[in-house]
Every structure is written in C-alpha cells, then in structure tokens.
Amino acid sequence: MKSISTATAVPFDPRMLTRTELLRLDVYMFDSPKNRRRVTVIRPAALAKALELEFSPEVPAYVERPRHLEVDKVRRELSFWWTTGRGLEQFCLLTTHPEGTSGKARAAERRKE
C-alpha cells in the first residue's frame, strides 16, 4: 500500500496514461499538495472532480483512474477512488452522455418535429 502525508493508506495507484492517450486526449495536469504528486486527468469533468477532492477538507486521500470494473462483459475504468476522514471509501465513474441525449441533439430533434 502507498501512504501519503496524512498517514492515510491508499490502496491504489493511478493508472499511468499511455503516450497515445497523452497526445490524443483532453489531458489536464496539476501538482497536488494533498497527494504529493502530479495528478493527471482526462476531460474537464474529471478535472472538476479532482479539484473538488483536492480542496475538500473531508477527503484526506484520493486517486484518479484507480482500477477497472467489468459489468455485463463491458470493462470500464473507474474515474476516482477517495476516502473520507471518517473512513468511508468511495469510487466514482464519470460518464459522457449517450449520443443523441445532449442539449444540442434534443433541440435539433425538436426542430424536426
């Protein structure tokens, strides 16, 4: 297990992004005083969640891209793991809207009717 400055045991390490992911995806990085390392996330939604966890006094530790989860034979990468000061551990999976469910797609559909 990896430990951080708050003496909270962190059971996961973040999955390192591949070179292709770093070049092709919408990648954001920042130095995390809480984790004492550089945090790397993909997409603005993940950046917002990472900053929320970074600045929350209730969260002593968090990890981005902690592991994969298989559901109905589909493998998904979990977005975050974090623990609270009371010992509660949580995972988070950030998803995108399915095609056709965005505001623009719904507005275009209404115009067709």
Side-chain angles (χ1 to χ4, degrees), residues 16-35:
M16 299 302 291
L17 295 176
T18 64
R19 181 176 174 84
T20 302
E21 288 173 319
L22 287 169
L23 293 173
R24 293 188 177 178
L25 298 177
D26 194 10
V27 177
Y28 298 87
M29 298 179 197
F30 65 92
D31 292 326
S32 167
K34 187 177 278 190
N35 290 329

Side-chain angles (χ1 to χ4, degrees), residues 7 10 15 41-42 45-46 51 68 70 72-73:
V10 179
R15 180 185 65 80
V41 295
I42 301 168
L51 291 173
H68 287 90
E70 191 170 324
D72 295 331
K73 298 182 182 178

Side-chain angles (χ1 to χ4, degrees), residues 41-109:
V41 295
I42 301 168
R43 298 181 319 179
L47 176 61
K49 186 64 179 175
L51 291 173
E52 176 188 338
L53 295 170
E54 181 70 29
F55 291 106
S56 173
E58 297 291 318
V59 177
Y62 69 94
V63 176
E64 72 279 15
R65 296 180 313 283
R67 66 182 317 163
H68 287 90
L69 183 66
E70 191 170 324
V71 178
D72 295 331
K73 298 182 182 178
V74 176
R75 192 171 184 207
R76 301 281 182 183
E77 183 172 55
L78 295 172
S79 303
F80 291 94
W81 167 90
W82 70 90
T83 185
T84 65
R86 290 184 260 157
L88 176 68
E89 294 185 18
Q90 296 181 343
F91 286 102
C92 173
L93 173 63
L94 298 176
T95 62
T96 58
H97 290 287
E99 260 187 64
T101 61
S102 70
K104 288 181 182 179
R106 288 192 309 266
E109 191 65 34

